[in-house]
């Protein structure tokens, strides 16, 4: 039987997940590779069953708890990334908090810590969108846009104010995405792209510093010439 590299990787993941299931059934706590494989396989199987991305991620979050893994595993595995084939194509699933909330310490434990314990720092505040735009998908297929894509250059069949979206990205957690269903409309929050603010690649409408003199006007001209809605 001839298999593609992707198919071989999927079988390897499935085999590791089956090993994890067997060991958990015997009452064994899982290590890092076993827990990671089981969570990733849960996403892939949910996708195979026709569930959507959010449903697959939620199923993966519920497959294991802190009590199912060896000490320290939950501190190491804080996210699981896996590419799965959904009904609308391959999508990257990012499973955050894969073991759920950490159990509260017993009242009698006091403040004693295990040597080498990892202490979480304060959570980063949720970013506030700098602007909110209404987006309509005029295509006949779903369109997904990932967190750090230059939203101005998103699919030309998405109708929104391109000028207002210049130099911004979606205000969503890194690695996640927003799906726009065919014919549907929704509001999205946008935040300015940070760092050096250089957009290379994407749809090729900028390919350089976002704030260079004349860059925005030229990008809008290119977008209009290429038929981008809202330009």
């Amino acid at each position: 039987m001839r298999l593609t590299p992707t198919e071989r990787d999927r079988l390897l993941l499935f085999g590791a997940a089956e090993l994890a299931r067997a060991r958990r059934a015997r009452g064994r706590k899982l290590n890092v590779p076993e827990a990671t494989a089981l969570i990733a396989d849960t996403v892939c199987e949910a996708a195979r069953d026709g569930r959507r991305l959010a449903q697959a991620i939620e199923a993966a979050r519920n497959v294991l708890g802190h009590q199912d893994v060896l000490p320290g595993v939950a501190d190491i595995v804080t996210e699981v990334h896996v590419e799965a084939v959904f009904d609308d194509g391959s999508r990257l699933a990012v499973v955050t908090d894969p073991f759920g909330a950490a159990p509260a310490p017993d009242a009698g434990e006091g403040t004693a810590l295990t040597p080498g314990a990892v202490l979480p720092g304060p959570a980063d505040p949720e970013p506030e969108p700098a602007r909110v735009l209404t987006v309509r998908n005029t295509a006949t297929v779903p369109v997904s846009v990932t967190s750090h894509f230059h939203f101005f250059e998103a699919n030309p069949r998405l109708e929104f104010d391109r000028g207002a979206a210049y130099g911004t990205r979606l205000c969503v957690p890194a690695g996640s995405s927003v799906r726009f269903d065919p014919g549907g409309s929704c509001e999205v929050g946008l935040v300015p792209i940070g760092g050096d603010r250089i957009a290379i690649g994407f749809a090729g409408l900028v390919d350089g510093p976002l704030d260079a003199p004349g860059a925005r006007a030229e990008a809008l001209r290119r977008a209009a010439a290429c038929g981008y809605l809202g330009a």
Side-chain angles (χ1 to χ4, degrees):
M1 181 171 62
R2 295 182 178 179
L3 299 173
T4 66
T6 299
E7 290 167 337
R8 287 197 295 269
D9 289 344
R10 179 69 189 97
L11 288 176
L12 178 63
L13 175 63
F14 176 75
E18 283 294 283
L19 176 63
R21 292 186 183 98
R23 288 181 173 172
R24 185 174 63 161
R26 299 202 312 267
R28 303 279 73 82
K29 292 183 182 293
L30 304 184
N31 59 25
V32 168
E34 293 163 352
T36 303
L38 183 51
I39 293 166
D41 183 72
T42 301
V43 172
C44 294
E45 288 303 298
R48 187 68 176 83
D49 290 341
R51 300 193 199 179
R52 297 179 64 171
L53 177 62
Q55 295 171 322
I57 291 175
E58 188 61 27
R61 282 202 184 103
N62 295 322
V63 72
L64 290 175
H66 287 256
Q67 73 280 1
D68 298 313
V69 296
L70 291 167
V73 170
D75 297 322
I76 297 171
V77 185
T78 57
E79 284 187 349
V80 175
H81 295 227
V82 61
E83 187 172 344
V85 181
F86 293 83
D87 289 345
D88 57 349
S90 295
R91 309 277 294 281
L92 175 65
V94 180
V95 184
T96 56
D97 298 324
F99 306 106
D106 294 336
E109 290 184 358
T111 57
L113 296 175
T114 302
V118 177
L119 299 179
D124 292 333
E126 289 293 326
E128 290 291 332
R131 60 181 60 93
V132 176
L133 296 182
T134 299
V135 181
R136 184 169 71 94
N137 181 9
T138 67
T140 58
V141 296
V143 174
S144 292
V145 182
T146 53
S147 58
H148 282 65
F149 194 92
H150 184 204
F151 200 73
F152 169 84
E153 302 182 64
N155 192 293
R157 295 298 91 197
L158 294 179
E159 186 175 17
F160 58 91
D161 185 346
R162 298 271 170 178
Y166 183 83
T168 67
R169 63 173 182 85
L170 287 167
C171 184
V172 296
S176 60
S177 62
V178 174
R179 170 187 165 117
F180 303 94
D181 291 322
S185 297
C186 68
E187 289 188 340
V188 296
L190 302 175
V191 293
I193 292 175
D196 293 334
R197 290 182 54 79
I198 297 176
I200 300 293
F202 301 114
L205 299 180
V206 182
D207 272 343
L210 289 164
D211 302 320
R216 182 177 180 277
E218 176 60 17
L220 281 167
R221 185 195 66 78
R222 291 180 181 179
C226 293
Y228 280 71
L229 297 179

